[in-house]
Amino acid sequence: MEHIVIIGNGIAGITCARHIRKNADAKITVVSAESEYFFSRTALMYVYMGHMKWDHLKPYEDWFWEKNRIELKKALVDNINFEEKTLHFSSNEKMNYDKLVLATGSVYNKFGWKGQELKGVQGLVSKQDLELLEENTRDCNKAVIIGGGLIGVELAEMLKTRNIDVTFLIREKAFWHNVLPLQDAKLISDQIRSHGVDLRHETEIDKITGDQKKGVTAVFTNSGEEIKCQLVGLCTGVRPNIDFLKNSRLETDKGILVDEFLQTNIKEVYAIGDCAQLKQPASNRKPIEAVWYTGRMMGETLAQTLTGNTIKYKPGNWFNSAKFFDIEYQTYGQVSAKPGQNEKQFHWQHKDKTKAITIAFEPTSKKFLGINTFGIRMRHPIFNRWLNEEQKIDHVLANLKQANFDPEFYTSYEKEIFKSFKENLQNP
Amino acid sequence: MSNLERNMSLTAEEPAKLSLTQRIASSIGLIGLFLLALTLTNLSFPNKTLFLSLSLGLITVGTIIFANDLYLGKPAGVKNDGVWFKSLSARGFWAWIIGISLTLFYIVLYWYPQYLGLNAKGANTGIISFFDPLSQFINGNPASQWFVYGTLYTVAILIFGYKFILKYRQNRYEVIRTFSVMFFQLGFAFLIPEILIRLNQPYYNPANIWPLNYDLFTDYKINTFLSAGNLGVIMLVFSIISVFIITPILTYKYGKRWYCSWVCGCGGLAETAGDPFRQLSNKSQYAWKIERWVIHSVLVFVTVMTIAVVYSFLGDSTSDFWLTRDVFLWGSAGFLTLLFAVILIFKHKELAKDAKYGAIGYLVIILAIICINYFSGNGNIFFFAGYKLREWYGFLIGAVFSGVIGVGFYPIFGSRVWCRYGCPMAAILGMQQRLFSKFRITTNGGQCISCGNCSTYCEMGIDVRAYAQKGENIVRSSCVGCGICSAVCPRGVLKLENGDLDGRINSEEVLLGNDVDLMDLVNQKSK
C-alpha cells in the first residue's frame, strides 16, 4: 500500500489527511513534534484566558484518528533524504514514504534585536510557546509587545486578562495599517486603547536589556525611552518553518517553492499551508498566505491530486476574519490599505466606535471590489456571489440587508449606511 | 497539560479574584441566605414580614451589586475570562460544596419536608412558616414547602437573569430571551397559579405543558378541572390543544427554543442561575448516544404512564361518556401507529439507522403492552395499576431526575442535564425540531476556525464546531436555541435562523473560499 507521510498536524496537514482518507485507501501517517493530536492553533489564546481547556481545542475526539486509519507519530524530523525517500527523526528513528507532504507551518520572526535571546522574550505560535508564556508570566506585571499584527493584539488581550500592564509598540500610524485602510486601523487603535493597553504608534524597538540571570528587564524604543518589563512579546509576523530543509535539494525561497499543483521541485514531494510559497500566485494574492483558511483549502486541493484527481490550487475570492478585543472583523474581496488610482473607498462608522464598514470599488465602473466589516457580521456566501457576479457598489449597498448575519433582534444599520453613501459619494 | 491548566495564583493577579465591592456584595447576599438558614433551626423571627423581606431583599441586592460591579463599567463583550480557573465553574471545591448542598436541599424537599418545618398535625414551623406572610399575601393561605421552593426558584431566575442580562448586554437576542424567561417564571409559573388558588380555582400554569407536566391528565387533576366549571374545562381543553396544536405550530416556526429557552421554568433556571456551569456539559459522541436512548425511554415511560392513568380514570360504558376505556386505548394505539408511520414514510431519509430501530422497537413495545392488557382482560394496564406507574414516574423522573440530578448536579454535569437526558417534553419538541421545523443554526460559509468556543459553551453538549467547520447547518433535536454558540463565536460564523425548509439539512461540505469545481467534486465523492 502506498504510504503518504504528512509532516505537520496543523489545519493544512490534517485537512489533507482527512480528504485523502475520504477518497483512497493509502496508508497515511501524520508526523508532528508539537502535539499528540490536532488542535486549533487560532484558539491557543482562549486556553490562556481560561475560556477553554486544552482538550476543547481538539476538533476531533481522540478515537477519530484510529477509526479513520490516520496514524499519528509524535517525532521531530531532523532531516529528509529525498533520494531514498526517508525521514530521519531526532530520536534516530527512520521512516520511509512514497509521497511526502510538507505542512510544517510557521515560526515567529526575530529580526536580530539586541537581547532577543533573553528569558522572557518570546512570540506566540506553537503549543510550546503557550507553555512558555505561562512560565514567563508567572511573576510578571508588565509586558511590552512589539509589532502590530493579529497575534500582537491577541497577546495583548490575553495578558490583560491576567492583569498584566501592556505597552504595545507598532511601526504604523494606526493598528495593522499595512493591511487596513487608515480609518479602519484607527478604529481598532481606539478599541485597543479603550481596553487599557498603552498603544504607541510609529514606535519601534531599539534593544532589549536584561539582568545577570538573563531575564529581560526593559525595552528601549527608537526614541531612546526605556520601558521596564518582565515580558517581551515578539509579534512582528511569522515566516515559514523550513530551517531544517535548508541545504537540501528542495527549492526554497522564503518558503518552500511550489507550482500550481502544490508540488515542489522534487517529484512526489508537496508543500501546503504556511510553509508553502507559490511560484505564481493568482492575481491579487500573495505567494505566502499564512492564514487558517488557505491552509485548509490547500489541504483540500492537494488531497485530490494525491488520490488520482490532479487539480490546480485555485483559491476563490479572498476572505478572512479576526477579532480585536470586542470588535469582530470580517473581510471579503480586496480592500487596500493604501488605495491607488483604481480603487475608491466608502467608509461608514457608527458613533459608538464599535461598528464600521469600508467598501472598496472601482471609481469608473463602480465595480464592487471588497468589504471590511467591523462589529457587524456579514454573510460569506452572499459576498462571494456578489464578487463572482462582479456586482456594482450600488447593488451591494441596496441589498446589504440580505448579507447581514447578526443575531436576531440586533439593530440594523443598512439604512443609515445607505444614506451615508448617498450623501457622501453619489452627490459629491 | 498540567503546565497550561494549573491554578494561576502566581501571576500578577488572579484573573478570578474578587474586587472589594464584590466581596461586600457577597457578604450582603450571604447575610440574606444566613437569615433563611436560621429559620431551618426553627427559630421564629418576631416580625416575619420584616425578616422575610430583609432576607430575600439582601439576597437580591447582593446579587445585583455583585453583577453590576462584575460587568458594568467594563466594555460589553464575551465575559468568559478565567471560567476554567475558578473553582466554582471548573468543578473545583466550591462546585462540589454547592452541588452537595443543592442535592441535599432537594432530598429534604422531596422526601423529608418535616425538616423544613412541615407539620401534618398543626401549623407549619421553620422555613416554611417563615414564608407565610408572602403566601398569605399572594394566595391567602399559609405557605407550603412547594410555595417556599417556588419562591426561591423564581427569585433565583430573576436575580441571576439580571446578572445574565448584564453579562450578555451586547446581544439583544440574549437580553430579550432572558426577559421572556423571567416573565414566564414570575407570571405564569409563580403568580398565576397562586392567584388562581386565591380565587378558588384549580392550580394551573398554562405554560407547564404535558409531558413535562406529567400530572396534568391524572384522575385527581382531571377531577379538579371538571369540578371547577367553565374555567376548569377551558384549562383542560387548553392543555390538550397545547400538546397537539400549539406546540407543533410554534416549533415548526421557531424551533423548540420558543419553549425550552424562552418559556420553560427548567430552562429558565438553567439559563440564568445555571449559566456559570454551561461549559460543563459532556461533548463526547458517547454522551450523545446515551442521551438519545435515555431521553426517548423517558418519553415512552411518560406516554405509557399517561395512557394508564387516563385509562383508569375512564369508564366502560358508552352511556356515561363517549370516550370509554376501549375507545381511548385503541385510539391511542392508532394515533401512535399513525404518527410513527408518517415519520418513517416521509422522513426515513433523515433518520439514522439506530433512530429507525429505536422508533420501531419503542412502538412495538407500547403496542404489545396495550394488546397484552386488552386480551388479558384485567383492570390493570401495563401490569401495574395506573397510579402505581404514576408514583414511580413521579419518584424516578419527577423528583430524582429533574430535581436532584437535574439541578443539584449543575456544578458538576452542567446546567441542562435534565433537559438533555431526561425531559420528555424536550424529546417531543426535539423530534419536531429535527423533522418538521424551519429552525436551524446557519454556518457562515468558510469562516470557521475550529476554535471550539461554540462547543465548549453549548449547555446541551452539542459539538457545534463539528458542523461549523464543515460548513454544515446545525439541525439537532437537542438544541434549545439559547444562542450562546453564536454569541461566543469570535468570527461571526453562527446564526440562529428560521428559514426555508429547502437545504436546511446539508450534510455536504460546503465550505466556501476554494475552487468551486473542487468543492463540487468533494461533494460528489461524499455522496
Side-chain angles (χ1 to χ4, degrees):
Chain A
M1 203 191 295
E2 184 180 57
H3 188 197
I4 302 175
V5 177
I6 300 168
I7 304 179
N9 69 348
I11 179 65
I14 289 297
T15 306
C16 185
R18 279 179 41 240
H19 282 262
I20 293 171
R21 178 51 75 232
K22 282 186 177 186
N23 297 332
D25 231 7
K27 180 179 174 187
I28 306 170
T29 306
V30 181
V31 181
S32 167
E34 184 186 13
S35 64
E36 215 90 27
Y37 297 102
F38 171 50
F39 69 93
S40 176
R41 187 174 308 287
T42 47
L44 280 174
M45 64 183 294
Y46 297 108
V47 174
Y48 185 83
M49 301 200 297
H51 294 210
M52 290 196 264
K53 296 186 70 133
W54 181 263
D55 275 352
H56 295 123
L57 260 49
K58 295 189 277 189
Y60 302 93
E61 288 184 61
D62 294 349
W63 50 258
F64 176 89
W65 309 104
E66 203 187 325
K67 188 187 163 211
N68 288 287
R69 288 174 294 127
I70 295 171
E71 281 177 37
L72 305 177
K73 168 92 183 160
K74 190 154 190 259
L76 180 68
V77 178
D78 263 351
N79 57 73
I80 302 169
N81 186 329
F82 292 106
E83 280 70 40
E84 289 172 17
K85 292 190 160 185
T86 48
L87 306 179
H88 296 264
F89 299 128
S90 58
S91 57
N92 290 326
E93 282 175 281
K94 285 197 298 188
M95 181 183 278
N96 296 314
Y97 64 84
D98 298 311
K99 287 176 182 164
L100 182 65
V101 179
L102 299 164
T104 55
S106 295
V107 290
Y108 59 84
N109 284 325
K110 290 181 176 182
F111 289 114
W113 297 292
K114 201 179 161 205
Q116 68 180 20
E117 304 305 331
L118 288 164
K119 189 177 172 309
V121 182
Q122 69 162 117
L124 180 63
V125 170
S126 67
K127 181 186 171 203
Q128 285 69 29
D129 293 335
L130 188 68
E131 287 168 326
L132 184 63
L133 184 68
E134 198 57 73
E135 186 88 20
N136 283 338
T137 50
R138 236 173 236 205
D139 227 344
C140 170
N141 50 41
K142 173 78 199 179
V144 174
I145 298 173
I146 299 158
L150 298 182
I151 299 178
V153 69
E154 281 181 8
L155 186 58
E157 186 178 351
M158 291 159 72
L159 296 172
K160 288 306 282 182
T161 66
R162 301 281 181 99
N163 296 312
I164 294 168
D165 257 357
V166 177
T167 298
F168 195 177
L169 310 182
I170 65 175
R171 200 171 48 185
E172 291 80 21
K173 56 183 172 187
F175 178 78
W176 215 29
H177 184 36
N178 51 331
V179 175
L180 299 176
L182 190 59
Q183 284 161 306
D184 296 354
K186 281 182 170 165
L187 180 92
I188 302 305
S189 281
D190 287 345
Q191 168 74 192
I192 293 170
R193 284 185 169 145
S194 78
H195 280 263
V197 174
D198 171 24
L199 176 67
R200 314 264 184 101
H201 295 144
E202 298 176 278
T203 308
E204 288 181 64
I205 170 186
D206 177 37
K207 63 176 180 188
I208 307 165
T209 55
D211 54 19
Q212 288 92 357
K213 285 190 244 160
K214 301 267 179 208
V216 58
T217 53
V219 164
F220 283 80
T221 69
N222 53 357
S223 63
E225 189 190 346
E226 179 188 12
I227 308 168
K228 292 218 161 29
C229 61
Q230 299 91 42
L231 180 85
V232 177
L234 301 180
C235 303
T236 49
V238 294
R239 63 183 173 85
N241 174 24
I242 55 168
D243 289 350
F244 74 106
L245 295 164
K246 295 275 156 121
N247 308 320
S248 77
R249 202 151 70 70
L250 194 71
E251 215 176 275
T252 59
D253 175 31
K254 280 183 179 139
I256 303 164
L257 288 166
V258 292
D259 62 17
E260 61 228 34
F261 297 99
L262 302 168
Q263 180 154 229
T264 65
N265 64 314
I266 302 172
K267 208 168 157 269
E268 302 195 309
V269 176
Y270 305 82
I272 53 176
D274 286 12
C275 69
Q277 178 179 352
L278 289 161
K279 284 186 220 164
Q280 280 148 347
S283 63
N284 278 332
R285 303 289 290 242
K286 297 193 185 77
I288 301 176
E289 292 176 335
V291 297
W292 179 268
Y293 308 113
T294 47
R296 190 194 72 213
M297 295 189 292
M298 286 181 175
E300 286 164 355
T301 310
L302 180 61
Q304 297 296 326
T305 303
L306 291 177
T307 53
N309 172 36
T310 308
I311 194 166
K312 286 182 187 172
Y313 172 62
K314 284 193 293 184
N317 299 308
W318 170 254
F319 70 100
N320 199 4
S321 66
K323 193 172 181 187
F324 310 106
F325 283 89
D326 291 322
I327 296 185
E328 284 174 25
Y329 154 75
Q330 296 178 335
T331 185
Y332 302 105
Q334 299 297 325
V335 181
S336 309
K338 284 138 196 154
Q341 288 284 305
N342 296 323
E343 181 179 334
K344 205 169 168 187
Q345 293 181 349
F346 160 65
H347 181 79
W348 169 87
Q349 202 176 106
H350 189 263
K351 58 180 182 301
D352 76 359
K353 284 193 169 184
T354 62
K355 296 170 223 28
I357 62 166
T358 297
I359 299 184
F361 60 101
E362 261 176 24
T364 44
S365 68
K366 296 237 175 156
K367 189 177 100 175
F368 168 65
L369 296 173
I371 183 170
N372 284 345
T373 166
F374 300 87
I376 301 177
R377 294 175 174 181
M378 300 275 188
R379 284 181 200 269
H380 188 180
I382 301 276
F383 275 107
N384 200 46
R385 202 180 73 216
W386 285 343
L387 286 164
N388 288 340
E389 293 169 354
E390 305 202 335
Q391 292 287 359
K392 293 193 167 36
I393 182 172
D394 309 69
H395 178 87
V396 169
L397 280 163
N399 295 285
L400 202 56
K401 200 169 176 56
Q402 266 186 51
N404 186 292
F405 199 69
D406 274 338
E408 292 150 302
F409 307 117
Y410 268 44
T411 313
S412 73
Y413 299 97
E414 287 87 13
K415 274 188 193 150
E416 199 183 318
I417 292 169
F418 194 65
K419 211 174 122 213
S420 157
F421 171 66
K422 289 256 177 201
E423 281 166 7
N424 295 320
L425 285 175
Q426 286 196 320
N427 314 304
Chain B
M1 267 352 292
S2 58
N3 191 26
L4 284 183
E5 284 162 9
R6 60 175 170 69
N7 195 320
M8 314 298 173
S9 55
L10 288 171
T11 39
E13 214 174 329
E14 262 182 274
K17 204 174 155 189
L18 295 181
S19 74
L20 181 65
T21 314
Q22 286 164 26
R23 283 179 214 182
I24 293 171
S26 305
S27 312
I28 294 173
L30 285 173
I31 292 171
L33 265 183
F34 181 68
L35 290 179
L36 266 189
L38 274 184
T39 63
L40 286 171
T41 65
N42 260 343
L43 174 123
S44 191
F45 283 108
N47 184 340
K48 277 187 194 161
T49 314
L50 174 70
F51 275 91
L52 180 65
S53 313
L54 200 61
S55 168
L56 297 181
L58 287 174
I59 293 173
T60 306
V61 169
T63 311
I64 288 175
I65 296 176
F66 190 97
N68 286 352
D69 186 68
L70 193 59
Y71 301 124
L72 291 180
K74 286 180 196 158
V78 176
K79 294 280 175 277
N80 288 331
D81 292 344
V83 162
W84 287 99
F85 304 150
K86 291 178 202 159
S87 140
L88 182 64
S89 54
R91 294 195 191 102
F93 177 74
W94 287 110
W96 283 96
I97 293 287
I98 302 258
I100 291 167
S101 311
L102 281 172
T103 304
L104 290 174
F105 170 72
Y106 272 97
I107 290 173
V108 171
L109 175 73
Y110 283 122
W111 297 295
Y112 306 99
Q114 63 271 28
Y115 296 134
L116 300 176
L118 188 74
N119 190 348
K121 288 179 190 131
N124 295 329
T125 55
I127 192 170
I128 297 182
S129 72
F130 187 49
F131 278 72
D132 281 344
L134 186 63
S135 183
Q136 292 284 3
F137 177 70
I138 297 175
N139 67 33
N141 299 306
S144 68
Q145 77 268 39
W146 302 116
F147 181 84
V148 175
Y149 177 55
T151 309
L152 293 177
Y153 198 102
T154 306
V155 168
I157 288 186
L158 294 179
I159 61 179
F160 290 113
Y162 174 81
K163 176 168 176 273
F164 187 90
I165 286 171
L166 293 192
K167 182 176 175 185
Y168 292 97
R169 67 184 190 275
Q170 71 281 7
N171 189 314
R172 279 188 82 197
Y173 179 79
E174 298 304 333
V175 171
I176 295 173
R177 189 176 63 69
T178 306
F179 274 120
S180 172
V181 293
M182 289 160 77
F183 168 79
F184 277 100
Q185 178 60 33
L186 180 64
F188 280 58
F190 185 63
L191 291 179
I192 288 181
E194 298 294 345
I195 290 169
L196 282 169
I197 293 286
R198 185 176 203 116
L199 303 173
N200 272 324
Q201 296 295 336
Y203 182 94
Y204 184 66
N205 166 9
N208 197 5
I209 300 168
W210 182 90
L212 176 60
N213 186 357
Y214 58 91
D215 263 354
L216 199 58
F217 300 116
T218 52
D219 46 1
Y220 83 90
K221 265 284 180 192
I222 298 180
N223 280 328
T224 325
F225 286 137
L226 293 180
S227 60
N230 285 341
L231 188 61
V233 173
I234 291 173
M235 288 172 180
L236 186 59
V237 171
F238 182 78
S239 302
I240 296 169
I241 292 177
S242 291
V243 177
F244 293 102
I245 298 172
I246 298 177
T247 59
I249 291 176
L250 287 174
T251 309
Y252 172 74
K253 290 183 78 135
Y254 307 111
K256 81 193 228 188
R257 55 183 172 152
W258 77 266
Y259 192 73
C260 297
S261 64
W262 283 71
V263 171
C264 178
C266 305
L269 192 71
E271 294 294 342
T272 52
D275 176 64
F277 310 114
R278 59 173 57 250
Q279 68 283 354
L280 302 172
S281 60
N282 189 332
K283 275 77 180 184
S284 68
Q285 207 175 69
Y286 179 69
W288 183 18
K289 270 187 191 152
I290 297 194
E291 163 198 320
R292 286 184 294 178
W293 282 104
V294 175
I295 192 170
H296 293 115
S297 300
V298 174
L299 178 60
V300 168
F301 189 6
V302 79
T303 308
V304 167
M305 184 273 282
T306 305
I307 291 175
V309 293
V310 175
Y311 176 86
S312 52
F313 172 79
L314 294 169
D316 283 322
S317 160
T318 45
S319 57
D320 297 335
F321 187 48
W322 64 270
L323 187 62
T324 61
R325 290 185 164 186
D326 282 357
V327 174
F328 173 73
L329 206 55
W330 291 114
S332 304
F335 175 77
L336 289 174
T337 311
L338 191 69
L339 190 67
F340 277 74
V342 166
I343 292 174
L344 286 178
I345 291 166
F346 291 103
K347 296 285 173 180
H348 64 96
K349 277 188 199 143
E350 293 171 19
L351 293 176
K353 217 186 234 167
D354 60 339
K356 284 179 203 162
Y357 293 154
I360 293 168
Y362 280 136
L363 182 66
V364 168
I365 292 171
I366 296 176
L367 293 181
I369 294 174
I370 290 178
C371 288
I372 291 171
N373 165 74
Y374 185 75
F375 294 113
S376 68
N378 65 28
N380 286 345
I381 188 170
F382 314 134
F383 319 114
F384 300 100
Y387 78 92
K388 270 276 172 221
L389 273 183
R390 199 208 67 80
E391 262 179 34
W392 276 100
Y393 187 89
F395 171 74
L396 283 175
I397 311 297
V400 175
F401 207 154
S402 76
V404 179
I405 299 177
V407 179
F409 287 33
Y410 266 16
I412 307 302
F413 299 132
S415 51
R416 286 275 194 177
V417 169
W418 160 247
C419 312
R420 180 182 179 190
Y421 298 95
C423 177
M425 180 81 188
I428 295 182
L429 298 183
M431 272 193 250
Q432 288 172 19
Q433 168 159 285
R434 180 69 178 71
L435 300 171
F436 311 99
S437 173
K438 294 158 90 80
F439 173 71
R440 85 293 309 271
I441 303 177
T442 309
T443 305
N444 198 5
Q447 286 281 24
C448 178
I449 51 165
S450 301
C451 72
N453 274 295
C454 50
S455 296
T456 306
Y457 287 92
C458 177
E459 55 189 352
M460 295 305 283
I462 298 171
D463 190 0
V464 184
R465 163 173 60 190
Y467 300 84
Q469 68 189 356
K470 287 192 283 181
E472 204 178 321
N473 288 345
I474 295 107
V475 182
R476 277 280 289 270
S477 48
S478 62
C479 173
V480 292
C482 69
I484 295 298
C485 56
S486 161
V488 298
C489 174
R491 306 294 179 112
V493 175
L494 301 161
K495 178 171 163 67
L496 282 64
E497 287 189 286
N498 315 306
D500 272 351
L501 293 177
D502 285 342
R504 175 171 169 260
I505 298 176
N506 56 338
S507 50
E508 299 161 0
E509 300 234 3
V510 284
L511 286 170
L512 280 178
N514 212 342
D515 182 4
V516 189
D517 301 335
L518 167 69
M519 293 324 286
D520 280 349
L521 195 89
V522 168
N523 286 325
Q524 275 163 19
K525 286 267 170 75
S526 68
K527 269 176 191 166

